[in-house]
Amino acid sequence: MIRLFVAAAFAFSLPAHAQESAEPRWSIAIHGGAGTLDPDKMTPERRAAYEAALQNALDAGKAVLAGGGSAMDAVKAAIIPLEDDPLFNAGRGSVFTWDGTNELDASIMDGRDRSAGAVTGVTTIKNPILLADKVRTDSPHVFLMGEGAEEFASGQGLETAPPEWFATEPRRESLERMKADRLSAFDVDHKFGTVGAVALDMEGNLAAGTSTGGMTGKRWGRIGDAPVIGAGTYADNRSCAVSATGWGEYFIRVGVAQEICTRLRVSDDATGGGDQNIADAVMAEVKELGGDGGIILVTPEGNALYSFNTTGMYRGRATSEGVDEVAIFAAE
Ligand code: ASP
């Protein structure tokens, strides 16, 4: 049985005087999936490996922002190491489809002009987040699928990889267990391992990106929320940048990422606690419908926060004001 818990979520908000300071600010948050995470079942070694991977990704994004780089570049810099790390369900280490393949989804959005790119069902691109960005910058479209996306990619100079690169034994075992014991994806995975990043750069621009292998045993060309602009990813300089992880069908139905940004845009209180309340309210809607998962969010004011309704979410955040942390369980 799937148990849902409302987790404590954490807000980082700056005092009003700091927000008025002339110092340019930057902010970044990352995630590596949410789910039923039990501290007693995680070995110290495994925990250390996850924390190191999250810190490594956070550091890559931070370096871009602290050096005056763009939020878009920071999002890509943070997501690439997570795609390359088999601990996470994105790029290498993606979950298996019912047919025993790995089909990857990714999306990215630039809050400056709301330009966006997304791909679904790609099988040969080492870093799907880079292909999503190429769709944004070098095609007249927003969303490409399968073979067409690969054909577009072939002219873009992106690194490719053979099927063995993406396929890992633990993920294959999850599929086999799912089939043998007639389990759901949630029963075998215990967590959603999608990765994502959101960032604010010193120019005041926001960006968001998300990358995933989807859910174990997906079939019939199933597409989750991660590559759907508005559901798994959204960025708009007027409101916020959001990346989601969770049971994609519910996130699509609620339109989670855009719903949070829209509520923030029309809300009077776009600083401090208001951001957290809005994110929590939208995640509560996901829960009411029966879905679970979480989001990361940054605002134009530099707030970086999380909201999730699971017992844990692999996550991290850093800001120019000195915040620098990674965390896994809800109580952290
Ligand atoms: N949201 C993803 C999907 O539904 C899964 C995840 O977050 O890991 O495909």
Side-chain angles (χ1 to χ4, degrees), residues 31 33-34 89 105 191-195 212-215 218 222-227 244-249 251:
H31 70 78
N89 170 22
D105 302 334
K191 70 173 182 68
F192 305 103
T194 290
V195 308
T212 190
M215 289 175 75
K218 64 182 182 181
R222 180 264 186 191
I223 303 168
D225 60 313
T245 175
W247 199 313
E249 279 71 7
F251 281 70

Side-chain angles (χ1 to χ4, degrees), residues 23-192:
E23 280 295 302
R25 304 224 313 255
W26 57 262
S27 181
I28 183 167
I30 61 167
H31 70 78
T36 309
L37 304 173
D38 182 349
D40 296 334
K41 291 202 179 124
M42 183 172 275
T43 63
E45 293 74 25
R46 199 159 167 78
R47 186 186 173 116
Y50 273 108
E51 286 176 346
L54 290 168
Q55 190 67 56
N56 180 40
L58 195 60
D59 288 348
K62 266 163 51 186
V64 172
L65 296 169
S70 71
M72 284 297 287
D73 284 344
V75 161
K76 287 181 276 182
I79 288 178
I80 288 168
L82 297 172
E83 287 183 329
D84 289 344
D85 192 325
L87 285 176
F88 302 98
N89 170 22
R92 183 161 184 236
S94 284
V95 298
F96 280 78
T97 66
W98 187 260
D99 296 328
T101 57
N102 303 111
E103 296 180 4
L104 317 179
D105 302 334
S107 64
I108 193 162
M109 187 162 184
D110 188 336
R112 277 176 292 206
D113 56 1
R114 282 173 280 160
S115 59
V119 291
T120 184
V122 299
T123 57
T124 67
I125 305 303
K126 183 165 169 280
N127 295 109
I129 195 70
L130 296 180
L131 179 55
D133 198 37
K134 285 286 186 187
V135 173
R136 183 183 73 85
T137 57
D138 287 69
S139 91
H141 305 301
V142 168
F143 201 177
L144 302 182
M145 64 172 260
E147 280 176 20
E150 310 262 349
E151 193 184 329
F152 167 74
S154 67
Q156 298 298 326
L158 295 175
E159 198 177 338
T160 57
E164 311 82 78
W165 167 260
F166 303 103
T168 57
E169 258 334 285
R171 301 293 193 194
R172 194 188 302 279
E173 279 162 21
S174 293
L175 176 67
E176 281 162 10
R177 210 148 44 81
M178 178 188 204
K179 287 184 169 179
D181 300 343
R182 294 171 183 260
L183 298 170
S184 74
F186 200 90
D187 290 330
V188 290
D189 291 340
H190 302 295
K191 70 173 182 68
F192 305 103

